[in-house]
Coordinates of all heavy atoms in Angstrom, one line a residue:
P37 N 0.8 -1.2 0.0 CA 0.0 0.0 0.0 C 0.9 1.3 0.0 O 1.9 1.3 0.7 CB -0.8 -0.1 1.3 CG 0.0 -1.0 2.2 CD 0.8 -1.9 1.3
L38 N 0.5 2.2 -0.8 CA 1.2 3.5 -0.9 C 0.3 4.7 -0.7 O -0.8 4.7 -1.0 CB 1.9 3.6 -2.3 CG 2.8 2.5 -2.7 CD1 3.2 2.6 -4.2 CD2 4.1 2.6 -1.9
L39 N 0.9 5.8 -0.1 CA 0.2 7.0 0.2 C -1.1 6.7 0.9 O -2.2 7.0 0.5 CB -0.1 7.8 -1.1 CG 1.1 8.3 -1.9 CD1 0.6 9.1 -3.1 CD2 1.9 9.2 -1.0
T40 N -1.0 6.0 2.0 CA -2.1 5.5 2.7 C -2.9 6.7 3.3 O -2.4 7.8 3.6 CB -1.8 4.5 3.8 OG1 -0.8 5.2 4.7 CG2 -1.2 3.3 3.2
I41 N -4.2 6.5 3.6 CA -5.0 7.5 4.3 C -5.4 6.9 5.6 O -5.3 5.7 5.9 CB -6.3 7.7 3.4 CG1 -7.0 6.4 3.1 CG2 -6.0 8.5 2.2 CD1 -8.3 6.6 2.3
P42 N -5.8 7.8 6.5 CA -6.2 7.4 7.9 C -7.3 6.4 7.9 O -8.1 6.3 7.0 CB -6.6 8.7 8.6 CG -6.0 9.8 7.8 CD -5.9 9.3 6.4
I43 N -7.3 5.5 8.9 CA -8.3 4.5 9.0 C -9.7 5.0 9.0 O -10.6 4.5 8.3 CB -8.1 3.6 10.3 CG1 -6.8 2.8 10.1 CG2 -9.2 2.7 10.5 CD1 -6.4 2.0 11.4
P44 N -10.0 6.2 9.6 CA -11.4 6.7 9.6 C -11.8 7.3 8.2 O -13.0 7.5 8.0 CB -11.4 7.8 10.7 CG -10.2 7.5 11.5 CD -9.2 6.9 10.6
A45 N -10.8 7.5 7.3 CA -11.1 8.0 6.0 C -11.5 7.0 5.0 O -11.2 5.8 5.2 CB -9.8 8.8 5.5
S46 N -12.1 7.4 3.9 CA -12.5 6.5 2.8 C -11.8 7.1 1.6 O -11.3 8.1 1.6 CB -14.0 6.4 2.7 OG -14.5 7.7 2.3
G47 N -12.0 6.3 0.5 CA -11.5 6.8 -0.8 C -10.4 6.0 -1.5 O -10.2 4.8 -1.1
L48 N -9.8 6.6 -2.4 CA -8.8 6.0 -3.3 C -7.6 5.5 -2.5 O -6.9 6.3 -1.8 CB -8.4 6.9 -4.4 CG -7.4 6.4 -5.5 CD1 -8.0 5.2 -6.2 CD2 -7.1 7.5 -6.4
T49 N -7.3 4.2 -2.7 CA -6.2 3.6 -2.0 C -5.4 2.8 -3.1 O -6.0 2.1 -3.9 CB -6.6 2.6 -0.9 OG1 -7.3 3.4 0.1 CG2 -5.4 2.0 -0.2
V50 N -4.1 2.9 -3.1 CA -3.3 2.3 -4.1 C -2.4 1.1 -3.5 O -1.8 1.3 -2.5 CB -2.3 3.3 -4.8 CG1 -1.4 2.6 -5.8 CG2 -3.1 4.4 -5.4
L51 N -2.5 0.0 -4.2 CA -1.6 -1.1 -3.8 C -0.9 -1.6 -5.0 O -1.5 -1.8 -6.1 CB -2.4 -2.3 -3.2 CG -3.4 -1.9 -2.0 CD1 -4.8 -1.8 -2.5 CD2 -3.3 -2.9 -0.9
T52 N 0.4 -1.9 -4.9 CA 1.2 -2.2 -6.1 C 2.2 -3.3 -5.9 O 2.8 -3.4 -4.8 CB 1.8 -0.9 -6.7 OG1 2.3 -1.2 -8.0 CG2 2.9 -0.4 -5.9
Q53 N 2.5 -4.0 -7.0 CA 3.7 -4.9 -7.0 C 4.7 -4.3 -8.0 O 5.8 -4.8 -8.1 CB 3.3 -6.2 -7.7 CG 2.1 -7.0 -7.0 CD 1.6 -8.1 -7.8 OE1 1.6 -8.0 -9.0 NE2 1.3 -9.2 -7.2
D54 N 4.4 -3.2 -8.6 CA 5.2 -2.6 -9.7 C 6.2 -1.6 -9.1 O 5.9 -0.6 -8.5 CB 4.3 -1.9 -10.7 CG 5.0 -1.5 -11.9 OD1 6.2 -1.2 -11.9 OD2 4.3 -1.5 -13.0
G55 N 7.5 -1.9 -9.3 CA 8.6 -1.1 -8.8 C 8.5 0.3 -9.3 O 8.9 1.3 -8.6
R56 N 8.1 0.5 -10.6 CA 8.0 1.8 -11.2 C 6.9 2.7 -10.5 O 7.2 3.9 -10.2 CB 7.7 1.7 -12.6 CG 8.8 1.0 -13.5 CD 8.3 0.8 -14.9 NE 7.1 -0.1 -14.9 CZ 6.4 -0.4 -15.9 NH1 6.8 0.1 -17.1 NH2 5.4 -1.2 -15.8
I57 N 5.8 2.1 -10.2 CA 4.7 2.8 -9.5 C 5.2 3.1 -8.0 O 4.9 4.2 -7.5 CB 3.4 2.0 -9.4 CG1 2.9 1.7 -10.9 CG2 2.4 2.7 -8.6 CD1 2.5 2.9 -11.6
R58 N 5.9 2.1 -7.4 CA 6.3 2.3 -6.1 C 7.3 3.5 -6.0 O 7.2 4.4 -5.1 CB 7.0 1.1 -5.6 CG 7.5 1.1 -4.1 CD 8.2 -0.2 -3.7 NE 7.3 -1.3 -3.8 CZ 7.5 -2.3 -4.7 NH1 8.5 -2.2 -5.6 NH2 6.7 -3.3 -4.8
R59 N 8.2 3.6 -6.9 CA 9.2 4.7 -6.9 C 8.5 6.0 -7.2 O 8.8 7.1 -6.6 CB 10.3 4.5 -8.0 CG 11.3 3.4 -7.6 CD 12.5 3.4 -8.6 NE 12.1 3.0 -9.9 CZ 12.0 1.8 -10.3 NH1 12.3 0.8 -9.5 NH2 11.6 1.5 -11.6
K60 N 7.5 6.0 -8.1 CA 6.8 7.3 -8.5 C 6.1 7.8 -7.3 O 6.2 9.0 -7.0 CB 5.8 6.9 -9.6 CG 4.9 8.1 -10.0 CD 5.7 9.2 -10.7 CE 4.7 10.3 -11.2 NZ 5.5 11.4 -11.8
L61 N 5.3 7.0 -6.6 CA 4.5 7.4 -5.5 C 5.3 7.6 -4.2 O 4.8 8.2 -3.2 CB 3.4 6.5 -5.2 CG 2.3 6.3 -6.4 CD1 1.1 5.5 -5.9 CD2 1.9 7.7 -6.9
T62 N 6.6 7.2 -4.2 CA 7.4 7.4 -3.0 C 8.3 8.6 -3.2 O 8.3 9.5 -2.4 CB 8.3 6.2 -2.7 OG1 7.4 5.0 -2.5 CG2 9.2 6.4 -1.5
E63 N 9.0 8.6 -4.3 CA 9.9 9.7 -4.6 C 9.2 11.1 -4.9 O 9.7 12.1 -4.6 CB 10.9 9.4 -5.7 CG 11.8 8.2 -5.4 CD 12.6 7.7 -6.6 OE1 12.4 8.4 -7.7 OE2 13.3 6.7 -6.5
D64 N 8.1 11.0 -5.5 CA 7.3 12.2 -5.9 C 6.1 12.5 -5.0 O 5.2 13.2 -5.3 CB 6.8 12.1 -7.3 CG 7.9 12.0 -8.4 OD1 9.1 12.3 -8.0 OD2 7.6 11.7 -9.5
A65 N 6.1 11.8 -3.8 CA 5.0 12.0 -2.9 C 4.6 13.4 -2.6 O 3.5 13.8 -2.5 CB 5.2 11.2 -1.6
L66 N 5.7 14.2 -2.3 CA 5.4 15.6 -1.9 C 5.0 16.5 -3.1 O 4.4 17.6 -2.9 CB 6.7 16.2 -1.3 CG 7.1 15.6 0.1 CD1 8.4 16.2 0.5 CD2 6.0 15.9 1.1
F67 N 5.2 16.0 -4.3 CA 4.8 16.8 -5.5 C 3.5 16.3 -6.1 O 3.0 16.9 -7.0 CB 5.9 16.8 -6.5 CG 7.3 17.1 -5.9 CD1 8.2 16.1 -5.6 CD2 7.6 18.5 -5.7 CE1 9.4 16.5 -5.1 CE2 8.8 18.8 -5.1 CZ 9.7 17.8 -4.9
M68 N 3.0 15.2 -5.6 CA 1.8 14.6 -6.1 C 0.5 15.2 -5.5 O 0.4 15.2 -4.3 CB 1.8 13.1 -5.8 CG 0.7 12.3 -6.5 SD 1.1 11.9 -8.2 CE 2.6 10.9 -8.0
E69 N -0.3 15.8 -6.3 CA -1.5 16.5 -5.8 C -2.5 15.4 -5.4 O -2.8 14.5 -6.2 CB -2.1 17.5 -6.8 CG -3.3 18.2 -6.2 CD -3.8 19.3 -7.1 OE1 -4.6 19.0 -8.0 OE2 -3.4 20.5 -6.9
Q70 N -3.1 15.6 -4.2 CA -4.2 14.7 -3.8 C -5.4 15.5 -3.5 O -5.4 16.5 -2.8 CB -3.8 13.9 -2.5 CG -2.5 13.1 -2.7 CD -2.2 12.3 -1.4 OE1 -3.1 11.6 -0.9 NE2 -1.0 12.4 -0.9
E71 N -6.6 15.1 -4.0 CA -7.8 15.8 -3.8 C -8.7 15.0 -2.8 O -8.9 13.8 -3.0 CB -8.6 15.9 -5.2 CG -9.9 16.7 -5.0 CD -10.6 16.8 -6.3 OE1 -10.0 16.5 -7.4 OE2 -11.7 17.3 -6.3
C72 N -9.1 15.8 -1.8 CA -9.9 15.2 -0.7 C -11.1 16.1 -0.4 O -11.0 17.3 -0.6 CB -9.1 15.0 0.6 SG -7.7 13.9 0.4
I73 N -12.2 15.4 0.0 CA -13.4 16.1 0.5 C -13.5 15.9 2.0 O -13.5 14.7 2.4 CB -14.6 15.7 -0.2 CG1 -14.6 16.0 -1.7 CG2 -15.9 16.4 0.4 CD1 -14.5 17.4 -2.1
A74 N -13.5 17.0 2.7 CA -13.6 16.9 4.2 C -15.0 17.3 4.7 O -15.4 18.4 4.3 CB -12.5 17.8 4.8
Q75 N -15.6 16.4 5.4 CA -16.9 16.8 6.0 C -16.6 17.4 7.4 O -15.9 16.7 8.2 CB -17.8 15.5 6.1 CG -19.2 15.8 6.7 CD -20.0 14.6 6.9 OE1 -19.6 13.5 6.5 NE2 -21.2 14.7 7.4
V76 N -17.1 18.6 7.6 CA -16.7 19.3 8.8 C -18.0 19.8 9.5 O -19.1 19.9 8.9 CB -15.8 20.5 8.5 CG1 -14.5 20.0 8.0 CG2 -16.4 21.4 7.6
Q77 N -17.8 20.1 10.8 CA -18.9 20.7 11.5 C -18.3 21.8 12.5 O -17.1 21.7 12.8 CB -19.7 19.7 12.3 CG -19.0 18.9 13.4 CD -19.9 17.9 14.0 OE1 -20.9 17.4 13.5 NE2 -19.5 17.4 15.2
G78 N -19.1 22.7 12.9 CA -18.6 23.8 13.7 C -18.6 25.1 13.0 O -19.1 25.2 11.8
R79 N -18.0 26.1 13.5 CA -18.0 27.4 12.9 C -16.6 27.8 12.6 O -15.7 27.9 13.5 CB -18.6 28.5 13.9 CG -19.0 29.8 13.3 CD -19.7 30.7 14.3 NE -20.3 31.9 13.6 CZ -21.5 31.9 13.1 NH1 -22.2 30.8 13.1 NH2 -22.0 33.0 12.5
I80 N -16.3 28.1 11.4 CA -14.9 28.4 11.0 C -14.6 29.8 11.4 O -15.5 30.7 11.4 CB -14.8 28.3 9.4 CG1 -13.3 28.4 9.0 CG2 -15.6 29.3 8.7 CD1 -13.0 28.0 7.6
V81 N -13.4 30.1 11.9 CA -13.0 31.4 12.3 C -13.0 32.4 11.1 O -13.0 31.9 9.9 CB -11.6 31.4 12.9 CG1 -11.6 30.5 14.2 CG2 -10.5 30.9 11.9
Q82 N -13.0 33.7 11.4 CA -13.2 34.7 10.3 C -12.3 34.5 9.1 O -12.7 34.6 8.0 CB -13.1 36.1 10.9 CG -13.4 37.2 9.9 CD -13.4 38.5 10.6 OE1 -13.2 38.7 11.8 NE2 -13.7 39.6 9.8
D83 N -11.0 34.3 9.4 CA -10.1 34.2 8.3 C -9.6 32.7 8.1 O -8.6 32.5 7.5 CB -8.8 35.1 8.5 CG -8.1 34.7 9.8 OD1 -8.7 33.9 10.6 OD2 -6.9 35.1 10.0
G84 N -10.5 31.8 8.5 CA -10.1 30.4 8.5 C -9.8 29.8 7.1 O -8.8 29.1 6.9

């Protein structure tokens, strides 16, 4: 498993045997954009 998400989260999860994919998602992890939807409650601060 690569770029795992927290246990309470759902969504896209990647598992690979491929060394090229492993290197891509490991070496470029900080440059790889990930899109997430967060369900929130409460009142956001003014400049939140």
Side-chain angles (χ1 to χ4, degrees):
L38 299 170
L39 295 180
T40 57
I41 51 179
I43 293 175
S46 66
L48 182 61
T49 298
V50 180
L51 306 105
T52 192
Q53 304 169 324
D54 193 329
R56 296 170 300 174
I57 300 295
R58 185 182 299 110
R59 286 191 296 274
K60 175 70 175 177
L61 296 189
T62 301
E63 296 173 1
D64 295 347
L66 291 175
F67 309 101
M68 189 80 60
E69 186 174 81
Q70 301 184 52
E71 182 180 352
C72 298
I73 298 296
Q75 182 182 357
V76 296
Q77 62 184 21
R79 193 177 193 86
I80 193 169
V81 299
Q82 185 173 358
D83 61 344

